[in-house]
Structure formats: C-alpha cells, structure tokens
Amino acid sequence: MTVDFAIVGAGPAGMAAATLAAELGLDTLLLDEQEGPGGQIYRAVERAGASSSAASPLGMDYLVGQPLATALRTSGAQYRPATTVWHIDPDGTLSLATDGVSDTVTARRILLATGAIERPVPIPGWTLPGVMTVGAAQILLKTADLVPDGRAVLAGQGPLLYLAALQLARAGAPPLALLETTPHENYRAAARQFGGLWPGRHAVLKGLGLMLGVRRASIPVRRGVRGLRALGRTRLERVVWDGGEIAAEHLFLHEGVIPNTQISLALPLVHDWDDAQLCWQPRVDEWGCASLPAIAIAGDGAGIAGAEAAVFSGRLAALDAAAALGRLDEAERDRRAGPLRAALARERAIRPFLDALYQPGPSVLAPAEDDTIACRCEEVTVGRIRRAVRLGAPGPNQLKAFTRCGMGPCQGRICGPIVSAVIAEARGVPIAQVGTYRPRAPYKPITVGALAGIATAK
Amino acid sequence: MFRPRPDAPAATVAVDVEGLTVAVPPGASAAAAVLLAGLASIRETPVSGSGRAPYCMMGVCFDCLAEIDGIPNRQSCMVTAQPGMRIRRQRGARDIDPDDAPEDLPSFPVPAPRSGGA
C-alpha cells in the first residue's frame, strides 16, 4: 500500500495533522499503538464522552481532546489503531504490526507525532512494586476508572503533579501528601523569565488554579524535598526524604516530560541537547521538517511545548506536506500558517518560565547514590556505570558492551537519559558531548511469526 | 492495590489474573486488571528474580511483562483486556522447552557447514 502522508501517533499533534491533511486532499494514514485516538494526554477521551456517569474527575482540559477525536473520525483520514510501527526506512517504507501480523506501507511524507514520555526519576527503590509514574496514575483513571487504594504520595515537580493530585482528589482518592522537589535556586532562575508570563497568562492562570485547587482539597504540600527514597521489602512500605518520612502503599513520581525520541534517534535524525529542557531534541525547521528529506516531527516529540501547542505544530506540518506534494501552493501554505504560528507562539511563551522553574535537580539526571538502579531491565546500578567509565567506556553505546545497560526489553527508553548524564558527570564533560543511545529496529519487540508473515504476504 | 473510583460505570470485562477473577471496563488494559487484582508483582526479573509491577502504563518501561493467553513477555499495559483473558506472571526469561514442541513438527533442515569458516 502507498499513501501520501503517514503519521505516527494519534495524540493532539497527530490527530490535528491527519484531520487537516485529509481536508487538503492528501491520502492520509494515521497509525497509533493505542485502541483509540487521544495519545496519552487525551487517552481514552472518546470513552469519557460516551460515559453517562457523573462529571468526569479528569476536568475540562482533558475533555477538550474530544472535538479533536471527532474531527479525525469524520475527516476521511485512514486511522489504524492498535498498530506498532517497528521500523521506518528513510525511503518512506514503514513496517507495521497489528495483532501479531506484520505488513508494510510506503508513504511519500512521514510525520512523527510520538509525543513525550515521562522523564525517568531514578531514586533508590524506584523499582519496588507500588512505585509508579504520575502519568500511570492518570492513565489508570482515564482508561479503567481505577484509583490507588491505600495511602498514596505524589513526589517530584511540574504542573502535572498538581493536576494529578486534584484529579485523584476529585475521584475520591486524595493523596496523603505532595512532595515537591523544586530546588530553591529554580525560583530565582524562573524570575528571570518573567517576560513570558504576560503572553502566557492563560497558562499561568491555569497553573495557579491547580495550586489553589490542591490547597482547597487540603492536600499537604511539602516544598524543597531532597534525598527522596522508596523503601520496602517486596513492595513499597515507606517514602523517606532528608528530614521526614511517610508510610505509604503508593508513590507516584514525576519530574516533567521529555520528547519520545526512540524512532527519531533510530532513523537516525540529527538531535541536539537542549540546555533549558535538559533533554535530546530532534533538529527541526519552522515546519517541523527534520534532517532527512520527507520526514517531519510535530508536537512534544520535537521539544516539550504541551498539548495545545502540539495541535498547531501538527497543522503546520500538514500544510507543509500538502505544499510539498503539490496540493497547496506555497503562498497559500504561508497565508494559512500565519494564524497557526501566532497561536503556537502564544502557547510557547510560558515555556522558558516553566523550564526554569521546574528544571530537575542534578540528582534526577545523575543520582548521587551508587546503588540506585539506572537500567531497570538489566538491573545495572549507577555505580556500575561509573566503574565502567573508569574502565574506559566513553559513551552510552560502548557502555552496553561493558554492562548490558540499555540492552533489555525497553531498549534504553528508560535508562537512556540517566546513562548519558552519569557518563557525562563521571567524565567531567557536557552531556551534549557524551551523546545518547542509537536505538535499533525493531522499535518494539515483534515475534518471528509476525516477520514471517510479511514474506508470506509478498 | 487499586480500586474503582466511586460513581465509576460498571466494569463488564471479566478476566482471570493468576486464578483471581476481576472485571475492568471495556478498553482497559491487562495491566489495569493486574493492579485491580492486587497482585504484589506481575513479573520476576531475569537478572535477580526481583518482583516488578506496572510502572509507566504507557508502553515505555516493560516492567508489566506478563504471560497473556499463553504468550509470554507481553506488555500487559498495551494489551486490551478481553472477556476470559488469562493473565499470568512472567517468571524470568521465557522458556523454550523442546518437550513442548508438537509431535508433528517437521524437522528443520540443517545446512551442511561450508569449508573455510565464517
């Protein structure tokens, strides 16, 4: 099968791009790993619309994903859910797997809209059952109406921490405490970014509303928390920090989100280390075009800017694809792009402030304690990485041969950011100089049977 | 260690988690069923045998690996629960036991070694 435009990921960027591209007459295919559109931010949003139960505890900002999903469904774009993209050739061939059956599709243009993942939060004990991410708690609420049973603690920083605390409270499971890890010096750094506060005032108000909501819900907030640890024998029993501890069955961690670069690094596209967001970002132009021809990136996968911004960057990428494929002349593309760029600038205005305020502390990137696990799959500790560096492992890819770090089933998705930071610290060089993993296909494990299926089909 | 929120719509998809029957809403994942069943862990790591439970719930971390309907090492957070689904612990790496091979399996043709080495 051949299409004009293949989009990977049905979050806000992918839904908006697919909808506009189909309207512009492109033969558009939207691929997504989940059962329904929405990505993680609007996960299972169609289900929330269909539900006749009382007002959703998830709030209005979640429900704004519904019109995006509805527009996608009526746009004429082909939408293929429950599908894993496990390889992309730079010539435009995508290898897919659905229900254990594999096939290939060729696209004239490809848009990666793979969004963000939560930044790993490597604290001592983070592999204990009972320790999860804040995003995981939200997904359980969105998809399964589940809330934590027993004492729950939220720890870390960022707007999502407050949002999740409020959502859990509204769903009848208020957390016992919110432990905020924002380093004190961040407040001074954020104060220097006040220029974005006025153009980004809608986001500031939203954030203040969340903080006020947490106070009204009587959730205790402890600020300046350092030395966070999860303790327990076979599962979480206590959450401990410098100067305090709480007995708890659940600990939900969050230190912001970073671009999901698994596919963009594997292709490979050119990436740069971003000193403000402390993460790797694929290098893109004003239309989202990346370093390989015919491949673009929209949404948080190209740098964290949030769900609202993702919609606009998705539409910009769709306009550019339509122009590149001759469905739109460049003057019309540029004319239509004007209001989108203005809206994108409005959404991005607050980012320098948020990036400074919620910049993770040094121990989030490179944990101080040697016995903290960095690679959850292969159970490689931070101390083992430091010893491998002393033995001569200069970078993340060489480290694999020394330790198997990054060679487990997650393919380095979780340990990648930690490994780069620990090696950089141990060598005394910037992370940008150390680099990161070069992931390989298949991007997700597939069965030999699925592979054999391609040959049989041909 | 998870429970349905108050006012949740009825959960109608019944699955079997290590012999326990739990019901989750349509569209929920096998990993959600594992957490509702209250299992202490869903897998034991191949390295140290330590117990793990779902961590990210979005297909990133692979700590929710389980044996689902007889197929080992599946990301349970990425598998939608179906009525009657059987979800079991993933203990270490998967086994490939020659004794499990079907009797009528055709023998695999082994090519003769070439001279000159690899």
Side-chain angles (χ1 to χ4, degrees):
Chain A
M1 186 170 95
T2 302
V3 297
D4 290 331
F5 194 32
I7 300 166
V8 183
M15 289 192 291
T19 303
L20 180 55
E23 281 167 10
L24 293 169
L26 297 186
D27 180 12
T28 302
L29 172 65
L30 176 59
L31 303 158
D32 191 78
E33 223 175 353
Q34 301 296 340
E35 287 278 316
Q40 301 305 334
I41 186 101
Y42 304 131
R43 182 87 179 260
V45 74
E46 289 179 325
R47 173 177 176 264
S51 158
S52 58
S53 66
S56 166
L58 295 160
M60 286 311 295
D61 283 337
Y62 171 67
L63 297 176
V64 299
Q66 280 177 359
L68 289 171
T70 307
L72 168 71
R73 294 283 191 187
T74 55
S75 68
Q78 299 177 66
Y79 164 56
R80 198 169 138 180
T83 297
T84 300
V85 176
W86 57 265
H87 184 233
I88 298 178
D89 263 321
D91 74 353
T93 305
L94 299 103
S95 301
L96 314 173
T98 307
D99 255 341
V101 181
S102 212
D103 65 331
T104 60
V105 169
T106 303
R108 297 170 70 195
R109 308 274 305 183
I110 294 173
L111 179 65
L112 302 179
T114 51
I117 61 172
E118 287 184 274
R119 180 188 293 281
V121 188
I123 60 167
W126 70 312
T127 53
L128 279 174
V131 182
M132 301 176 84
T133 69
V134 161
Q138 286 190 302
I139 290 166
L140 283 162
L141 189 53
K142 289 171 184 175
T143 60
D145 298 313
L146 293 184
V147 292
D149 197 5
R151 296 162 293 186
V153 172
L154 270 56
Q157 55 175 343
L160 196 71
L161 197 69
Y162 283 87
L163 174 63
L166 261 187
Q167 289 170 332
L168 288 174
R170 283 196 219 113
L176 206 60
L178 200 158
L179 306 177
E180 199 177 53
T181 55
T182 306
H184 288 305
E185 53 271 25
N186 283 18
Y187 295 106
R188 228 172 307 126
R192 286 196 287 274
Q193 301 293 342
F194 66 91
L197 294 181
W198 179 248
R201 56 194 177 276
H202 60 296
V204 176
L205 285 176
K206 211 182 270 182
L208 290 173
L210 291 176
M211 290 174 150
L212 188 65
V214 164
R215 180 181 289 191
R216 283 204 184 126
S218 304
I219 300 165
V221 178
R222 180 174 288 269
R223 292 182 207 284
V225 167
R226 299 164 62 113
L228 195 65
R229 306 184 285 291
L231 300 183
R233 283 179 299 272
T234 57
R235 54 166 302 124
L236 178 72
E237 293 165 24
R238 287 181 300 146
V239 179
V240 181
W241 63 97
D242 293 351
E245 70 168 83
I246 303 181
E249 286 78 38
H250 297 274
L251 171 62
F252 298 103
L253 299 169
H254 183 75
E255 287 278 353
V257 298
I258 56 177
N260 177 2
T261 51
Q262 200 73 8
I263 296 179
S264 55
L265 284 171
L267 272 163
L269 301 174
V270 174
H271 287 65
D272 299 299
W273 175 258
D274 187 276
D275 272 323
Q277 298 198 336
L278 298 185
C279 59
W280 293 96
Q281 294 178 353
R283 193 180 296 171
V284 296
D285 71 9
E286 56 176 351
W287 300 100
C289 290
S291 59
L292 280 172
I295 296 182
I297 307 180
D300 276 356
I304 303 304
E308 292 84 0
V311 170
F312 303 121
S313 65
R315 287 181 185 146
L316 283 170
L319 288 178
D320 191 50
L325 296 173
R327 302 299 171 96
L328 204 63
D329 64 52
E330 285 197 3
E332 177 64 7
R333 175 197 68 176
D334 294 349
R335 193 190 63 76
R336 290 206 190 195
L340 295 175
R341 291 203 192 288
L344 193 55
R346 200 163 53 239
E347 293 304 332
R348 283 181 177 160
I350 192 65
R351 282 294 144 182
F353 176 80
L354 289 178
D355 293 343
L357 181 59
Y358 294 128
Q359 185 162 87
S363 71
V364 175
L365 276 84
E369 305 85 351
D370 269 348
D371 56 355
T372 304
I373 284 180
C375 172
R376 298 173 61 101
C377 298
E378 295 293 325
E379 297 178 71
V380 180
T381 63
V382 170
R384 203 166 152 75
I385 296 172
R386 290 188 175 121
R387 285 194 292 278
V389 171
R390 279 202 294 276
L391 284 174
N397 294 300
Q398 295 83 357
L399 180 73
K400 292 178 180 178
F402 284 76
T403 62
R404 284 200 56 81
C405 193
M407 296 179 74
C410 98
Q411 297 171 279
R413 284 172 169 85
I414 296 281
C415 68
I418 308 164
V419 162
S420 293
V422 171
I423 295 176
E425 182 210 50
R427 289 181 50 199
V429 298
I431 294 176
Q433 195 178 320
V434 166
T436 185
Y437 289 136
R438 165 84 199 277
R440 307 286 161 154
Y443 308 145
K444 280 274 180 93
I446 51 166
T447 62
V448 174
L451 267 178
I454 297 186
T456 317
K458 280 175 182 162
Chain B
M1 298 299 262
F2 278 75
R3 61 179 165 85
R5 68 174 167 90
D7 309 322
T12 52
V13 180
V15 301
D16 170 343
V17 182
E18 287 281 335
L20 297 163
T21 301
V22 294
V24 292
S29 65
V34 167
L35 292 167
L36 181 60
L39 254 58
S41 67
I42 190 57
R43 77 174 183 117
E44 289 158 12
T45 63
V47 180
S48 72
S50 66
R52 295 283 174 87
Y55 174 72
C56 78
M57 289 301 290
M58 55 184 276
V60 177
C61 76
F62 287 71
D63 258 328
C64 65
L65 292 179
E67 183 186 303
I68 299 177
D69 287 340
I71 302 172
N73 276 326
R74 299 190 71 188
Q75 280 187 288
S76 62
C77 76
M78 301 299 289
V79 175
T80 303
Q82 304 291 345
M85 183 175 264
R86 286 163 52 91
I87 304 163
R88 297 288 179 267
R89 270 201 188 84
Q90 177 68 41
R91 296 181 191 277
R94 74 174 293 179
D95 293 327
I96 300 178
D97 187 346
D99 291 341
D100 289 342
E103 292 294 331
D104 56 352
L105 195 71
S107 63
F108 188 79
V110 180
R114 283 183 301 180
S115 57

